């Protein structure tokens, strides 16, 4: 699928392996989520629009560039929260809009419980942050909400995807590129990615 970007960057592969490890404790797990998010966002934002500008150095004038588009970070509560901070440090001018969706454990369908988006879009580029692209239901619904809001340029950044999630998201939103560190084997009968890393929310927040 040409809208899926699976990084094979050495740092990402190294950190992903530590993230998956069942022995990795919540503090280290949160650090790794933060670092992987920065690296994946670096890949996802390489085509952000720039305006040319000039800058005065101690030695004279140099050609420069400045970002022209306002970026929105959209973490999906709660597992997406750990992805915000590092990316925000790279883009301090970004706005952060939270969307709360949980997956009904019985139906596996997303249920919305928090959304405070303003009436009109305030950003030109939306980065949806959710580490695990499992069934794809939550991602599809989040992007439905953003498109109804009026968002035009949306990108999904996750850490691990299942093929089922990639297929569902690509089918529902073929215009949304997907950036992940890995696409794993499959989903199990209760909707967890195999081999995955377990529950990304529990492992970040120590609630397993
Ligand atoms: N959410 C998780 O946290 N892990 C999975 O494997 C699937 C969904």
């Amino acid at each position: 699928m040409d809208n899926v970007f699976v990084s094979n960057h050495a740092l990402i592969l190294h950190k992903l392996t530590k993230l998956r490890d069942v022995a990795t404790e919540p503090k280290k797990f949160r650090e790794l989520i933060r670092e992987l998010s920065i690296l994946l966002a670096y890949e996802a934002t390489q085509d952000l629009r720039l305006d040319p500008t000039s800058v005065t150095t101690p030695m004279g004038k140099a050609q420069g560039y400045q970002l022209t588009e306002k970026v929105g970070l959209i973490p999906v509560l709660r597992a997406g929260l750990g992805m915000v901070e590092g990316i925000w440090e790279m883009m301090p001018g970004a706005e952060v809009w939270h969307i709360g969706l949980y997956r009904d454990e019985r139906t596996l369908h997303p249920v919305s419980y928090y959304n405070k988006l303003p009436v009109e879009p305030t950003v030109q580029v939306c980065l949806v942050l959710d580490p695990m692209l499992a069934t794809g239901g939550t991602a599809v619904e989040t992007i439905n909400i953003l498109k109804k809001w009026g968002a035009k340029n949306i990108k999904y950044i996750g850490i691990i995807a299942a093929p089922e999630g990639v297929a569902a998201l690509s089918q529902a939103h073929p215009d949304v590129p997907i950036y992940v560190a890995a696409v794993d084997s499959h989903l199990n009968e209760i909707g967890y990615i195999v081999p995955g890393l377990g529950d990304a929310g529990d492992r970040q927040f120590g609630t397993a």
Side-chain angles (χ1 to χ4, degrees), residues 79 103 132-134 187 191-194 196-202:
R103 195 168 55 147
M132 306 301 275
L133 181 57
L187 287 181
Y192 277 82
I193 299 175
V194 181
L197 49 71
D199 189 303
D202 282 344

Side-chain angles (χ1 to χ4, degrees), residues 122-199:
T122 50
V123 295
Q124 283 84 50
V125 181
C126 290
L127 303 180
V128 175
L129 310 176
D130 196 357
M132 306 301 275
L133 181 57
T135 61
T138 303
V140 168
E141 185 52 24
T142 302
I143 293 165
N144 285 341
I145 291 169
L146 291 175
K147 285 188 175 174
K148 270 189 217 135
W149 186 44
K152 300 269 183 291
N153 186 356
I154 304 173
K155 297 166 186 248
Y156 179 95
I157 305 179
I159 308 276
I160 301 179
E164 295 89 332
V166 170
L169 182 50
S170 309
Q171 194 185 357
H173 298 293
D175 56 314
V176 174
I178 300 169
Y179 293 86
V180 286
V183 177
D184 274 7
S185 163
H186 64 279
L187 287 181
N188 72 8
E189 60 290 348
I190 54 165
Y192 277 82
I193 299 175
V194 181
L197 49 71
D199 189 303

Side-chain angles (χ1 to χ4, degrees), residues 1 14 28 31 47 86 115 122 162 167 204:
M1 284 178 227
H14 175 82
K28 183 68 187 168
E31 280 170 24
D47 63 348
N115 171 3
T122 50
Q204 285 178 73

Side-chain angles (χ1 to χ4, degrees), residues 25-104:
E25 305 214 328
K27 181 171 187 294
K28 183 68 187 168
F29 191 90
R30 288 193 296 275
E31 280 170 24
L32 290 163
I33 289 272
R34 180 179 177 283
E35 292 164 0
L36 282 162
S37 302
I38 294 173
L39 294 169
L40 289 163
Y42 173 79
E43 305 219 1
T45 54
Q46 63 177 331
D47 63 348
L48 287 187
R49 294 224 329 253
L50 295 169
D51 272 342
T53 184
S54 67
V55 60
T56 307
T57 80
M59 309 300 287
K61 282 224 181 270
Q63 167 76 55
Y65 300 91
Q66 59 193 12
L67 293 168
T68 50
E69 298 172 301
K70 188 92 176 162
V71 176
L73 306 181
I74 324 287
V76 179
L77 302 176
R78 73 181 164 145
L81 283 177
M83 297 181 70
V84 173
E85 198 192 304
I87 301 178
W88 211 1
E89 270 171 36
M90 298 298 118
M91 289 179 268
E95 296 180 5
V96 180
W97 295 102
H98 300 91
I99 291 190
L101 290 168
Y102 70 87
R103 195 168 55 147
D104 184 300

